[in-house]
Amino acid sequence: MRKLIVGALVAVQMAAGMVALRAEPYPHRTVTLVTHSSPGGGSDVFLRQLVKYLSRQIDATFVVENVQGGSGAKAMARLASSPPDGSVFYATTPTYIYTSLLSSSATTFRDLQPVVNFFTDSEVVYTAASSPYQTLADVIEHARTERGRWGAANPASLERQAAEQLKAAAGVQAAVVSHEGGGDMMINVLNGTLDIGIGEVPELRSQIESGQIRLLATFNPERLPAFPDVPTVKESGYDVVLQKFRGLAAPKGLSEDVAAIWDRAAKATLDDPEYRRAYEEESLISNFIGHDSYPQFVDGFADETAGFLRASGVIQ
């Protein structure tokens, strides 16, 4: 028995040594990853799961910092005023594009430097398991007769835009109620104040597994492999397809050398078999975009978004 224990300890030490050897040297011992999300929200969950595996590739300690307020404006300001030395990054999602286009904040997405993208995330429509809505069509029919109340994250979120686009496609006038985070919205879905909420699978995982909520549809182009019985919004009869990107941005001026470290680390982290099992369970789709291409990707998304907002009369 003693030999087995000693052998196991040696194996653990060797594995730890291999991880340490594989981790790439980095110019800072501590790296802060900032998100506009509240604790338990989509970006918060993404970052806290990511850092468990990212430290296998970059020799640093990662700290997640929640900077809420202004639909991401405060978080962007935090980044823009930080040194571009690789010590602090911001979790990019469509929210920071929408906030920049819909508000007059002093800091916008153009003041940050997109560095690397990790995932495409799928938006889903959900309701309380105790609600009368069995399908998305039930929700739309209720909205036709009694207007209804739908929940979304902050006003400048992709979830809010998903709700607005679904309203337009279905020709209904449901009230879309914005929240600062997914946790507050979940409470209002569960207590029946909201007919539905729009969110991401990772932040809904515990409620899905406990049977508290029911998924009605996904805005993904195809059905989610983990939920094959959940139809897409499009196949439900409403031509709306949306996906969320998840990556990191830095203060402008990040060096090529540091950006290249993140390219290598992101690829290796996404290829980590243990992490792959974890993120695929959360219906996250690996979508690596390196620092050479990510700025163009973000600019393209911003142009498309601005076009939709102008066409719908939201902005001039």
Side-chain angles (χ1 to χ4, degrees):
M1 176 63 72
R2 186 172 183 277
K3 288 183 178 179
L4 288 174
I5 293 174
V6 171
L9 289 173
V10 170
V12 170
Q13 290 171 345
M14 288 177 64
M18 289 173 66
V19 170
L21 286 173
R22 190 167 63 237
E24 187 166 357
Y26 198 71
H28 300 280
R29 293 302 306 147
T30 301
V31 178
T32 300
L33 304 181
V34 175
T35 174
H36 59 262
S37 175
S38 59
S43 289
D44 179 74
V45 172
F46 154 63
L47 289 178
R48 293 185 191 279
Q49 183 79 336
L50 174 68
V51 298
K52 297 177 184 178
Y53 303 94
L54 193 57
S55 58
R56 298 178 179 181
Q57 310 302 332
I58 294 179
D59 187 16
T61 299
F62 294 94
V63 176
V64 177
E65 180 181 328
N66 301 87
V67 180
Q68 297 173 249
S71 298
K74 287 187 177 180
M76 285 190 284
R78 158 83 166 90
L79 258 289
S81 62
S82 299
D85 58 1
S87 63
V88 59
F89 294 86
Y90 170 70
T92 55
T93 71
T95 292
Y96 93 129
I97 304 296
Y98 284 113
T99 294
S100 300
L101 295 174
L102 294 172
S103 70
S104 56
S105 57
T107 305
T108 74
F109 76 94
R110 299 192 188 281
D111 296 307
L112 305 183
Q113 179 178 332
V115 178
V116 63
N117 193 71
F118 286 86
F119 295 113
T120 296
D121 200 353
S122 303
E123 302 288 353
V124 294
V125 181
Y126 69 94
T127 189
S130 58
S131 84
Y133 312 113
Q134 299 298 317
T135 66
L136 182 59
D138 293 339
V139 175
I140 300 299
E141 183 57 32
H142 177 74
R144 290 191 199 287
T145 58
E146 299 185 40
R147 194 181 182 196
R149 290 168 61 86
W150 301 355
N154 61 67
S157 66
L158 184 65
E159 291 84 356
R160 176 61 188 256
Q161 295 305 315
E164 296 293 348
Q165 290 193 38
L166 179 58
K167 279 176 54 178
V172 297
Q173 295 299 320
V176 180
V177 184
S178 297
H179 300 71
E180 269 299 323
D184 293 338
M185 178 171 60
M186 175 64 70
I187 292 171
N188 287 327
V189 172
L190 292 176
N191 66 24
T193 301
L194 299 171
D195 301 326
I196 58 170
I198 298 175
E200 301 119 23
V201 171
E203 64 182 353
L204 306 176
R205 174 63 64 183
S206 61
Q207 286 79 17
I208 294 172
E209 292 177 347
S210 63
Q212 293 179 279
I213 63 174
R214 177 167 53 250
L215 300 186
L216 299 179
T218 173
F219 286 93
N220 210 45
E222 305 88 22
R223 294 193 180 198
L224 301 173
F227 303 96
D229 295 331
V230 177
T232 66
V233 169
K234 186 169 184 176
E235 70 181 288
S236 299
Y238 313 102
D239 192 12
V240 184
V241 177
L242 294 168
Q243 290 177 296
K244 174 177 283 188
F245 59 85
R246 291 199 180 280
L248 296 174
K252 272 199 168 180
L254 186 70
S255 73
E256 177 75 18
D257 289 345
V258 173
I261 291 175
W262 281 91
D263 279 1
R264 294 190 291 271
K267 286 181 181 178
T269 300
L270 289 171
D271 288 340
D272 184 320
E274 185 180 345
Y275 188 35
R276 184 184 296 115
R277 286 192 295 272
Y279 67 68
E280 287 180 350
E281 285 181 2
E282 302 294 351
S283 297
L284 291 171
I285 301 167
S286 173
N287 183 20
F288 169 79
I289 305 174
H291 75 279
D292 285 337
S293 302
Y294 200 31
Q296 289 78 18
F297 172 88
V298 169
D299 286 344
F301 183 91
D303 290 344
E304 291 179 9
T305 300
F308 166 76
L309 294 175
R310 289 192 190 95
S312 57
V314 176
I315 62 175
Q316 302 302 314

